[in-house]
Amino acid sequence: MTPAQRLEIAVDIAHEAGRMIVEARERQVFGHRYKHGHELVTDTDVEVDTRIGERLEEHFAGEARLSEELAPDRTALASPRALWVVDPIDGTVNFAHGLRHVAVSIGWASQGRTRLGVVHAPFLGETFTALDGQGARCNGEAIHASRTTEIAHALVGTGFPYRRDSRPPLMRRLSAVLAHCQDVRRNGSAALDLCDVACGRLDAYYESVSPWDCAAGWLIAREAGARTGHLYPGPAGIPEDLYGENLLVTSPGLHAALGDLLRRADAGEVEP
């Protein structure tokens, strides 16, 4: 099966998942709980993850899957085998609170490189797609990253971990960005933040997330002409495309300067 055929099936699966999410929101009957004491998960997350897994197995029997709710074993990242990386609802807190920044994210990697990605935002009516080496699209139309080169003019997206005790060190980064960039946006969906960089709505995005949050959006941003990378080198054995810590994705002209600003903020070298 060609990558284009795989992408067509992945888009269809994402759209079905999106319909499930919209219906669940409309019915308002989903229960919820907290993983690890602080991370919200709803019944709909599990139901959608289950359905995506069924559809992927139907079309791609035996291929490995890494997904947030039902297959979260990250040891699969180090394998060169074909791997589906799925977030059934990226933006679960937004979903539960009635906000619109909610997405289904499906990526497919082989030999450690993401080959296709789809991010579907059912409440926004947008579907972002990309194939490795073939550009990125939103609802079928080509998209491109911004050409912003000045930090002072950059609109920057980011997010924060659920664990409150992990947040204080990140305040130094936020303070540095607010002091030197145009402004900051925090929309609550890493997949959509990456897609917003891809289509030029954001000039840059930085955050530490899980592989299922970023696998598809990373490819979409890269294929739209954004520069994708990390603030610090990742661990040996984990492909860069599937490593979610210290992401930095920007317009090409911003990457070096913004990376330097954030690293200096980490070191306490940035004046407010």
Side-chain angles (χ1 to χ4, degrees):
M1 188 178 296
T2 67
Q5 291 171 321
R6 285 177 172 269
L7 179 61
E8 183 178 357
I9 293 169
V11 168
D12 184 64
I13 293 171
H15 284 171
E16 180 182 353
R19 291 190 293 271
M20 292 176 67
I21 292 167
V22 170
E23 182 181 349
R25 165 81 64 79
E26 290 173 347
R27 290 188 290 114
Q28 284 291 309
V29 294
F30 52 85
H32 70 274
R33 57 185 173 82
Y34 287 89
K35 295 187 295 186
H36 316 300
H38 53 259
E39 187 172 348
L40 180 68
V41 59
T42 71
D43 294 343
T44 307
D45 289 85
V46 178
E47 291 166 2
V48 173
D49 202 348
T50 299
R51 183 56 182 154
I52 292 173
E54 291 170 348
R55 291 288 310 276
L56 289 175
E57 183 62 22
E58 174 188 339
H59 291 281
F60 310 104
E63 292 193 4
R65 184 166 63 94
L66 175 71
S67 73
E68 181 169 16
E69 305 306 334
L70 299 182
D73 183 0
R74 301 190 190 199
T75 59
L77 294 171
S79 171
R81 297 173 53 208
L83 177 68
W84 291 94
V85 187
V86 175
D87 194 339
I89 303 181
D90 186 52
T92 296
V93 173
N94 285 351
F95 166 70
H97 284 265
L99 297 171
R100 296 167 61 83
H101 272 73
V102 174
V104 180
S105 177
I106 302 175
W108 180 70
S110 65
Q111 300 298 317
R113 185 173 177 88
T114 305
R115 307 294 180 174
L116 70 82
V118 52
V119 174
H120 173 55
F123 300 112
L124 300 175
E126 293 184 327
T127 304
F128 297 88
T129 58
L131 287 168
D132 187 25
Q134 298 186 39
R137 290 172 171 73
C138 177
N139 293 347
E141 299 294 325
I143 55 175
H144 304 281
S146 84
R147 298 180 179 178
T148 300
T149 58
E150 299 293 331
I151 284 185
H153 301 155
L155 185 62
V156 180
T158 191
F160 302 98
Y162 291 110
R163 286 184 54 183
R164 293 181 179 88
D165 60 358
S166 300
R167 295 173 181 172
L170 300 180
M171 295 301 103
R172 290 196 297 270
R173 290 184 181 179
L174 180 62
S175 178
V177 171
L178 285 170
H180 292 83
C181 300
Q182 182 183 48
D183 207 347
V184 172
R185 294 292 180 267
R186 193 269 196 265
N187 294 320
S189 167
L192 289 178
D193 284 341
L194 288 162
C195 291
D196 281 345
V197 174
C199 63
R201 294 170 184 164
L202 292 173
D203 301 302
Y205 164 75
Y206 72 92
E207 192 178 1
S208 288
V209 297
S210 296
W212 42 79
D213 298 313
C214 64
W218 170 279
L219 174 66
I220 292 165
R222 184 174 69 209
E223 286 297 317
R227 183 171 170 186
T228 55
H230 298 82
L231 288 170
Y232 305 103
I238 302 298
E240 184 182 30
D241 281 15
L242 301 177
Y243 183 58
E245 295 294 318
N246 293 302
L247 297 179
L248 180 62
V249 179
T250 74
S251 65
L254 281 176
H255 203 270
L258 184 56
D260 180 63
L261 176 66
L262 292 168
R263 284 185 290 269
R264 286 192 294 116
D266 288 347
E269 299 173 356
V270 180
E271 295 292 331

